[in-house]
Amino acid sequence: MRFSANLGFLFTDRPLPEAIHAAHKAGFDAVECHFPYGIPASEVAQALRDTGLPMLGINTWPGDRGAGDFGLAALVGREDEARAAIDQAIDYASQIDATAVHVMAGITDGGALAETCFRANLAYASDQAAAHGIAILIEPINQRDVPGYHLSSSDHAARIITELGRKNLRLMFDCYHLQIIEGDLFTRFQAVRPLIGHVQFAAVPDRGEPDAGEVNYAWLLPAMVKAGHTAPFGAEYRPRGATTAEGLGWIGAFRG
């Protein structure tokens, strides 16, 4: 059982390079993050070298969050912005040896034009990333947390991945979102496992530490390992306490 700390939610009381060191000290096997662009890539790369932790992934810039943006790739009329965000993410990922970029779709009307836009931008992202050995991830996000998010089912994601036919285009299987959207997580995992590029987890419904709530991760994650998942699981939860450190007892418990 290996775990990756998502530094978009964990150890956020310190700059990203220090958060990488904190994750290493806490016993994580890898890290990932959301939007590292305010920190020079050289500083992040140095922290990764110092700790020996791999960076599993970063997100594309989401746009103007204050104006309601939650990604750009499916937004008709904003293709130039979307591709600039894709180029930025791939460039940054290549500088820190990150293995994947999550391309955020955005909030749309769910129509055919948005779908065509999303697929065109994903094809562009996959082709650009392939030259650097980087995977492109797409993630279904639940409509309760992000109403109108363009990609909100694993079946939809699987169709896109299969029909675009890019080998480096993969599914982000976020257990928190997919439990809310679909439930029956292990059956769903088995159905799409050949397409999965990364697995993330958090408690449902509060998105806190994974040792409470309606999903039994102490059973589910080992079952996924037995079914063939070998990569670290991404801990993308919001700590319930004042600090990340005080809620990390689940790591030792899950590892047995």
Side-chain angles (χ1 to χ4, degrees), residues 18-65:
E18 294 180 23
I20 292 169
H21 282 274
H24 178 254
K25 184 178 179 180
F28 283 97
D29 307 285
V31 291
E32 56 203 70
C33 61
H34 292 161
F35 314 111
Y37 306 108
I39 304 295
S42 59
E43 295 181 16
V44 175
Q46 186 62 56
L48 295 171
R49 285 193 295 270
D50 290 344
T51 59
L53 295 181
M55 177 69 77
L56 299 188
I58 62 176
N59 293 352
T60 53
W61 187 250
D64 185 350
R65 294 291 295 274

Side-chain angles (χ1 to χ4, degrees), residues 11 19 26 29 34 38 55 58 60 83-84 90 97 101 109 115-116 136 162 165 172-173 181 183 206 225 240:
F11 304 108
D29 307 285
H34 292 161
M55 177 69 77
I58 62 176
T60 53
R83 295 199 179 191
I90 292 171
D97 290 328
V101 167
D109 62 3
E115 179 71 2
T116 298
I136 295 296
T162 301
M172 177 99 80
F173 191 98
I181 297 167
D206 72 355
V225 171
R240 297 185 184 99

Side-chain angles (χ1 to χ4, degrees), residues 133-210:
I134 293 170
I136 295 296
L137 302 176
I138 55 174
E139 177 184 19
I141 292 178
N142 79 79
Q143 296 283 317
R144 186 169 73 199
D145 286 3
V146 188
Y149 193 75
H150 184 76
L151 184 64
S152 59
S153 82
S154 59
D155 284 340
H156 185 185
R159 287 196 306 274
I160 291 172
I161 292 167
T162 301
E163 292 168 13
L164 284 182
R166 266 58 172 193
K167 292 182 179 180
N168 65 329
L169 180 59
R170 312 293 289 171
L171 170 65
M172 177 99 80
F173 191 98
D174 187 309
C175 296
Y176 167 77
H177 288 296
L178 290 174
Q179 172 66 10
I180 294 169
I181 297 167
E182 299 166 350
D184 198 11
L185 285 173
F186 187 62
T187 298
R188 184 91 305 249
F189 170 83
Q190 290 178 303
V192 297
R193 188 171 68 82
L195 306 179
I196 292 174
H198 188 41
V199 175
Q200 294 179 327
F201 63 100
V204 181
D206 72 355
R207 207 170 190 178
E209 284 85 351

